[in-house]
Amino acid sequence: MNISEAKKYIKDSVKIYLKKDEEGEYRIPLVRQRPIFLLGAPGIGKTAIMEQIAQELGIALVSYSMTHHTRQSALGLPFIVHRKYGELSCDVSEYTMSEIIASVYDVMEKSGIREGILFLDEINCVSETLAPSMLQFLQYKIFGRHQVPEGWIIVTAGNPPEYNKSVREFDVVTLDRMKILEVEADYESWRTYAGDRNIHTAVLNYLDMKKEDFYLVETTVRGKSYVTARGWEDLAQMLVLYEEEGLGVEESLIGQYLRNDRVAREFCAYYDLYRKYQRDYRVEDIFDGTVSEQVKDRARKAGFDERLSLMGMLLDRLRQELKENGQRARLLKDLMNPLRAFKERAAGEEVSGLAAILNQQADGREQAAVSLTNAGVLSVEEKQKGRVIVRFLRESAREILTEGASDSDEAFLLVKGRFDRMVEEYKADTRREQERLHNLFVFVEDTFGEGNEMLLLVTECTVQADCAAFINAYGCEDYVRHNEGLMLTERSDVLLEEIRELIL
């Protein structure tokens, strides 16, 4: 299966394992909950999907790489205690709590979240002294003398032997204690994930043309040669930062992430060409509706690679802008909750008390963010949104006091005014995005007509979450017209795959 299928399977399994009866007891007891074993090549996103699952389910996550553990750190250290059994007095060995189990309790204590996932990576690379204890752990969820707390689901991962010389193959008795998912590298699944993560367009365009370069592991006379999903994502982030700083990207930099000489060389050549397309096509002019006929004429005469790169740049800009618009919408919606509560408590309250209410709400938000951060499940968007809301609440509290509001009604109007200005800014941004989306459709229609480029644009607007949400909320006559003309509504997923195979 691919990584997306594995994510769904694990998420469903975790929900089932956490299902309780009327008495609050888990329907499947801890000892009967088979750990999940993700078996797949390195760098395909096994760790990333665990973070996503924990965030989506609102549970905690503790991750450990088992290659870093000795018998002592995993099982605990021995110490001597004195015992008396009837007339018999003796010294016996006890063990401190396993570092792994202690980490679970630490997260529960700091976050207040009682359920979670214990993710143990490279579990088939444990040290020889620790290997005999793994069967006990997988069956009874015990490290040393201490059991994994109830409500914590165990997911493990490892690499096949051909990728790691340290791998110890499990025997049948051990394998029979686990649910085994064999995961393969799959570009189409990763591309969906990459679109949500704003992976650099140059990376996506290159891989759209050369899917065979997405994942490679080869043995050469110089050792292992490899390219992984992790390498592409890390390189994409580095490209963004280098461009922000105006630094040149050399093949030596690319080769640090793509450890295959041919792929690094070919991507470097494509990246140089991509940067030239950025300068020549003036993407901002296209969205502003001021693009010249010369640019349109060049696009019409361009070859496959150049057209694909141009459409990639345009769609990447569209995705990013509509994603930011959606984030602003979710921010305003989330901000409504504390403001409604503030309004209900404002009547008859003294101005100083109103400022205190806003600061208390900000304190609560900050504490909740700390809890989710400690649980390892606070997404980047939620963290950024939380900071904006806290800043709004604290600045509103200061404004109430510094502007000298005379009563609760005037104080509420000051806060409402701040919120209304944010709403107006959002509405203005939405109108701007509607106009820019229209200009994009006009450019593609004028330049390429109803060709494959229009097919690509309409399909992207159909399947990409932020684009589809924007069009669903605010409409787009251009999209509706071309969507009906191309009859994409019921065939968008199939067509997207076909488009990527087309030679324009």
Side-chain angles (χ1 to χ4, degrees):
M1 63 175 60
N2 61 44
I3 198 69
S4 296
E5 294 168 336
K7 176 186 173 181
K8 183 181 184 304
Y9 184 89
I10 296 170
K11 187 176 179 180
D12 290 344
S13 297
V14 171
K15 288 193 288 189
I16 293 298
Y17 283 164
L18 295 179
K19 191 175 180 63
K20 298 179 181 178
D21 61 22
E22 298 81 0
E23 304 298 324
E25 299 292 332
Y26 290 102
R27 296 281 294 275
I28 302 178
L30 182 65
V31 295
R32 305 299 300 173
Q33 295 176 2
R34 286 195 175 197
I36 299 167
F37 180 39
L38 275 172
L39 181 63
I44 61 174
K46 298 188 290 291
T47 304
I49 66 168
M50 300 315 305
E51 295 172 352
Q52 295 167 23
I53 291 169
Q55 290 172 4
E56 292 168 13
L57 295 180
I59 59 178
L61 174 68
V62 172
S63 299
Y64 265 99
S65 175
M66 294 305 295
T67 56
H68 301 155
H69 280 282
T70 63
R71 177 181 174 84
Q72 289 74 23
S73 63
L75 303 182
L77 293 170
F79 63 94
I80 305 299
V81 296
H82 186 74
R83 300 286 190 196
K84 187 172 184 180
Y85 305 104
E87 299 299 321
L88 176 64
S89 294
C90 59
D91 293 330
V92 297
S93 296
E94 289 284 356
Y95 284 83
T96 59
M97 181 176 285
S98 160
E99 178 185 322
I100 297 172
I101 303 297
S103 294
V104 173
Y105 280 105
D106 283 341
V107 167
M108 292 168 64
E109 185 72 20
K110 293 176 181 178
S111 69
I113 298 176
R114 313 305 295 177
E115 296 178 330
I117 297 172
L118 175 57
F119 178 59
L120 303 180
D121 198 5
E122 299 183 272
I123 196 170
N124 54 350
C125 295
V126 296
S127 65
E128 186 174 352
T129 58
L130 186 56
S133 302
M134 294 311 301
L135 180 60
Q136 179 191 37
F137 169 71
L138 294 172
Q139 182 169 5
Y140 299 108
K141 320 302 185 291
I142 292 174
F143 267 132
R145 298 287 184 88
H146 301 92
Q147 190 173 57
V148 175
E150 278 196 319
W152 280 77
I153 312 304
I154 297 169
V155 181
T156 66
N159 302 323
E162 59 266 29
Y163 295 105
N164 193 330
K165 295 180 180 179
S166 301
V167 165
R168 304 170 57 86
E169 293 198 46
F170 290 141
D171 55 32
V172 174
V173 176
T174 303
L175 293 174
D176 193 42
R177 296 319 196 256
M178 299 187 290
K179 300 167 72 171
I180 302 171
L181 306 181
E182 296 188 21
V183 186
E184 298 178 350
D186 178 71
Y187 174 63
E188 297 305 327
S189 298
W190 183 81
R191 199 188 195 289
T192 300
Y193 158 83
D196 294 334
R197 293 293 292 266
N198 297 320
I199 299 297
H200 198 289
T201 311
V203 168
L204 298 181
N205 285 354
Y206 177 85
L207 291 176
D208 281 343
M209 294 183 290
K210 297 191 174 185
K211 297 181 179 65
E212 66 275 10
D213 289 348
F214 170 62
Y215 197 97
L216 292 172
V217 177
E218 301 172 345
T219 301
T220 69
V221 293
R222 296 169 56 188
K224 288 286 185 181
S225 172
Y226 54 90
V227 179
T228 69
R230 182 189 297 119
W232 283 114
E233 183 170 0
D234 291 347
L235 173 61
Q237 293 175 342
M238 191 60 64
L239 292 178
V240 171
L241 295 175
Y242 264 61
E243 289 173 8
E244 288 178 0
E245 295 296 322
L247 301 175
V249 174
E250 305 293 339
E251 186 177 335
S252 58
L253 172 68
I254 294 172
Q256 294 170 20
Y257 298 93
L258 310 180
R259 303 294 295 168
N260 178 287
D261 291 342
R262 177 190 63 80
V263 176
R265 182 173 61 255
E266 292 183 5
F267 177 76
C268 183
Y270 173 77
Y271 179 74
D272 290 340
L273 194 60
Y274 171 86
R275 294 288 285 170
K276 182 178 184 299
Y277 295 155
Q278 276 188 318
R279 294 188 295 269
D280 292 348
Y281 277 106
R282 302 175 64 87
V283 169
E284 190 61 27
D285 289 351
I286 294 174
F287 279 94
D288 285 343
T290 59
V291 62
S292 68
E293 285 299 324
Q294 289 179 323
V295 169
K296 291 182 182 180
D297 189 56
R298 171 173 176 170
R300 294 185 190 105
K301 298 176 180 177
F304 165 65
D305 289 1
E306 190 168 335
R307 288 190 182 193
L308 183 62
S309 296
L310 172 60
M311 290 304 299
M313 288 186 287
L314 294 172
L315 294 175
D316 181 63
R317 175 70 66 86
L318 179 67
R319 281 192 299 265
Q320 182 60 35
E321 291 187 5
L322 296 189
K323 179 178 181 178
E324 292 173 359
N325 182 272
Q327 289 173 339
R328 294 180 72 174
R330 290 187 288 272
L331 167 66
L332 292 171
K333 184 178 180 180
D334 201 4
L335 187 53
M336 289 290 290
N337 294 323
L339 293 185
R340 285 196 184 102
F342 175 73
K343 181 180 180 180
E344 292 173 0
R345 297 177 61 183
E349 183 72 51
E350 293 184 1
V351 172
S352 59
L354 293 176
I357 290 172
L358 292 171
N359 282 319
Q360 288 169 5
Q361 290 177 328
D363 291 341
R365 290 264 171 175
E366 289 179 331
Q367 291 169 5
V370 170
S371 174
L372 293 173
T373 299
N374 289 334
V377 294
L378 187 63
S379 67
V380 174
E381 180 182 343
E382 289 298 317
K383 184 181 295 185
Q384 293 173 342
K385 183 173 67 174
R387 287 172 178 167
V388 173
I389 292 176
V390 167
R391 185 164 59 248
F392 176 92
L393 295 171
R394 296 209 186 280
E395 289 177 354
S396 296
R398 284 195 295 271
E399 185 174 2
I400 287 174
L401 297 175
T402 57
E403 292 295 324
S406 59
D407 55 27
S408 59
D409 290 339
E410 189 174 336
F412 175 73
L413 289 175
L414 284 172
V415 177
K416 182 177 182 299
R418 289 175 58 86
F419 180 75
D420 289 344
R421 289 192 292 274
M422 292 177 65
V423 172
E424 288 304 316
E425 290 173 1
Y426 168 70
K427 289 180 178 179
D429 178 72
T430 299
R431 290 190 294 270
R432 174 176 175 270
E433 292 304 330
Q434 288 177 301
E435 182 65 25
R436 289 167 70 81
L437 180 57
H438 168 70
N439 291 337
L440 176 58
F441 269 97
V442 169
F443 169 78
V444 175
E445 185 175 6
D446 289 351
T447 307
F448 306 112
E450 295 293 328
N452 293 322
E453 292 80 6
M454 181 61 75
L455 192 64
L456 181 58
L457 172 57
V458 174
T459 302
E460 187 72 9
C461 289
T462 302
V463 302
Q464 209 284 326
D466 294 301
C467 297
F470 184 89
I471 292 173
N472 184 59
Y474 303 108
C476 176
E477 293 181 2
D478 302 291
Y479 167 79
V480 173
R481 175 163 48 87
H482 289 289
N483 187 39
E484 291 175 349
L486 295 168
M487 295 183 294
L488 287 178
T489 305
E490 302 299 328
R491 304 187 298 128
S492 58
D493 290 338
V494 175
L495 283 168
L496 182 59
E497 174 57 29
E498 292 178 355
I499 289 165
R500 289 176 180 154
E501 300 296 336
L502 289 174
I503 298 178
L504 304 181

